[in-house]
Amino acid sequence: MIFKFLSSGESHGKCLNAIIEGVPAGVCIDEAFINNELARRQVGYGRGGRMLIEKDKVKILSGVRHGKSIGSPICLQIENKDWENWQVAMSTCEVENTSENLEIIESKKIVNVRPGHADLSGAIKYNHYDIRNVLERSSARETATRVAVGAVAKSILKEFGIEGVSVVTQIGGVCANSSDDIFSLKEKIEANDLRVCDSDSYELMKNEIDIAKNDGDTLGGTFKVIFKNVPVGLGSHVHWDRKLDGLLAQAIMSIQAVKSVEIGLGKEVANTFGSKTHDEIFVENGKYIRKTNNAGGIESGMSNGEDIVITASMKAIPTMKKPLNSIAIDRKEKVQAHFERSDVCAVPACAVVAEAMSAIVLADALMEKFSHDSLDEMKINYQNYLKRVSER
């Protein structure tokens, strides 16, 4: 992997950080663009109170000079505004042993496990008796760093005309009307807080979320991520860990609450004859074309020049106002699962995170194919490759 990043930080800690390695020199890195991407992650009907507190802003601490990457590691930081209320409970140093401090720490201690969350497995794995140590890092707050890193990846892709979009296709039992040309509706998708492309679905989904909220419940859903202008040949067929679809699936499955990832037709290939599954190949004006895209832009682990189409499903969030039956890990007694400020539905935000993770994978594959020390070098290699492809 060439484009690599490491993130750190807890949900209620002082800040979130990311260090990105492998960004070629000469890429425009715009702080305002990264902040806009962070704002997109925070939008969504059904989001919780945390979104009213945090208005994420990035600080670029290294690796960028006068608005352009210089080839060294890029360090990004996002401060947690809520930190001021958690300085004792989440202190990285030992705190003074006063009754007030002990009371604060005890009030933030969690022993009631949430089914469907990292709580029990994480506590057992890392030998914790306070689940706070698990949920602070397993929280989806961590995805803010992924979106910031994804914005840097998009800045690289943009130099090659590669563009992505995400759209919500289902929330709960409500499915949105689909469109063949999502990119023409990008403005409409970005303008509403559910990331859907039709007004009827929007109102029905809002109603579904309101019902869940009134019931103290949560909702999941599905979304699509599509990238266009991806050149032929990203990824490889020669090793399992270089296959582009495998890398994309792993990246998106790593997002909290995502339970399935499909490329192109996805699970529908199980119901379809081969004659209806595979995209026939034609030549028009000397170029290879396909009139369908059931493969979702990837064949045998490599991009084939068509749009990359990914569908993913997010489960309902396990932190619920109407909690499920569970156990307390300190005494193994039956209790109600822990509830802490939470979203009712975060599918639109999850779509934005998946868009970012897809951009990271594609940027890495692009750099692997076309070298990566400097943007100028990449562009020369890219143009030479396109010339060779056109002459085949």
Side-chain angles (χ1 to χ4, degrees):
M1 196 170 185
I2 296 164
F3 186 105
K4 293 183 282 191
F5 76 97
L6 184 69
S7 72
S8 68
E10 285 75 46
S11 181
H12 295 98
K14 190 171 186 178
C15 61
L16 303 170
N17 297 290
I19 295 179
I20 313 169
E21 185 183 354
V23 177
V27 178
C28 290
I29 307 294
D30 182 3
E31 203 169 276
F33 174 67
I34 299 174
N35 286 336
N36 184 66
E37 293 293 289
L38 290 171
R40 292 173 70 229
R41 188 195 75 94
Q42 293 191 283
V43 171
Y45 192 79
R47 301 303 302 276
R50 186 71 187 270
M51 297 305 108
L52 300 175
I53 298 170
E54 305 293 351
K55 298 297 180 186
D56 291 335
K57 301 289 182 185
V58 73
K59 290 182 180 177
I60 302 174
L61 303 182
S62 69
V64 177
R65 185 167 184 248
H66 302 159
K68 289 194 174 183
S69 58
I70 57 176
S72 55
I74 294 174
C75 182
L76 307 177
Q77 185 179 87
I78 304 166
E79 291 182 355
N80 286 328
K81 297 287 189 297
D82 208 16
W83 162 248
E84 61 183 77
N85 301 313
W86 290 77
Q87 292 185 49
V88 172
M90 291 300 296
S91 173
T92 56
C93 305
E94 285 193 41
V95 296
E96 192 179 345
N97 193 18
T98 65
S99 57
E100 183 183 1
N101 285 347
L102 290 174
E103 187 179 335
I104 290 171
I105 292 168
E106 187 62 28
S107 71
K108 299 299 184 184
K109 184 178 179 180
I110 300 169
V111 296
N112 293 5
V113 173
R114 291 166 296 176
H117 216 290
D119 296 354
L120 184 58
S121 298
I124 291 171
K125 177 178 174 67
Y126 291 101
N127 198 31
H128 292 311
Y129 289 90
D130 179 356
I131 297 170
R132 172 73 55 197
N133 290 335
V134 178
L135 69 85
E136 283 291 328
R137 181 61 183 172
S138 62
S139 163
R141 176 79 186 131
E142 171 263 339
T143 62
T145 56
R146 303 204 209 187
V147 170
V149 173
V152 175
K154 286 182 180 183
S155 300
I156 298 168
L157 297 177
K158 194 188 304 180
E159 297 283 354
F160 298 87
I162 300 170
E163 181 186 353
V165 66
S166 60
V167 60
V168 171
T169 54
Q170 182 177 345
I171 287 180
V174 179
C175 294
N177 295 322
S178 59
S179 171
D180 292 334
D181 186 7
I182 294 298
F183 283 92
S184 68
L185 298 168
K186 190 171 181 177
E187 228 177 89
K188 186 173 184 179
I189 293 166
E190 295 294 336
N192 72 76
D193 54 7
L194 284 178
R195 302 193 64 75
V196 293
C197 56
D198 70 290
S199 303
D200 292 342
S201 300
Y202 176 78
E203 293 302 330
L204 290 170
M205 286 176 176
K206 275 183 67 176
N207 185 58
E208 195 89 339
I209 292 167
D210 288 340
I211 291 169
K213 183 177 181 179
N214 291 335
D215 289 345
D217 217 325
T218 56
L219 276 175
T222 63
F223 55 85
K224 282 185 186 291
V225 174
I226 304 170
F227 274 81
K228 68 177 180 179
N229 302 327
V230 179
V232 176
L234 300 191
S236 179
H237 65 284
V238 302
H239 286 295
W240 68 270
D241 59 347
R242 291 177 61 192
K243 290 178 178 282
L244 188 62
D245 44 1
L247 293 166
L248 286 166
Q250 194 279 330
I252 295 172
M253 277 295 289
S254 74
I255 301 167
Q256 290 86 334
V258 170
K259 298 302 286 184
S260 76
V261 180
E262 303 176 53
I263 309 289
L265 276 183
K267 65 183 179 183
E268 291 305 314
V269 297
N271 308 324
T272 313
F273 290 106
S275 57
K276 303 294 184 185
T277 299
H278 305 296
D279 305 303
E280 293 182 307
I281 303 170
F282 304 89
V283 175
E284 281 187 10
N285 301 319
K287 293 183 178 180
Y288 302 112
I289 67 157
R290 292 164 174 81
K291 296 180 180 179
T292 57
N293 189 20
N294 296 326
I298 302 175
E299 292 173 311
S300 297
M302 297 170 288
S303 57
N304 65 12
E306 301 297 321
D307 291 352
I308 304 288
V309 182
I310 306 158
T311 303
S313 299
M314 178 190 186
K315 70 180 181 181
I317 294 165
T319 306
M320 291 177 280
K321 214 168 187 177
K322 184 177 69 178
L324 297 174
N325 291 323
S326 188
I327 57 100
I329 59 168
D330 59 343
R331 55 191 187 277
K332 292 186 178 179
E333 291 178 4
K334 182 180 176 180
V335 294
Q336 297 286 289
H338 171 72
F339 173 76
E340 194 161 280
R341 183 178 52 208
S342 177
D343 301 328
V344 176
C345 178
V347 177
C350 192
V352 172
V353 178
E355 200 182 304
M357 292 305 294
S358 301
I360 289 166
V361 171
L362 292 174
D364 179 64
L366 196 74
M367 289 190 288
E368 180 188 48
K369 177 68 179 163
F370 301 112
S371 184
H372 61 283
D373 289 332
S374 74
L375 180 62
D376 288 342
E377 181 185 5
M378 280 185 72
K379 285 187 172 180
I380 290 168
N381 293 337
Y382 181 72
Q383 291 303 324
N384 287 338
Y385 178 74
L386 292 186
K387 183 181 177 185
R388 177 168 69 80
V389 170
S390 69
E391 292 170 350
R392 285 184 58 88

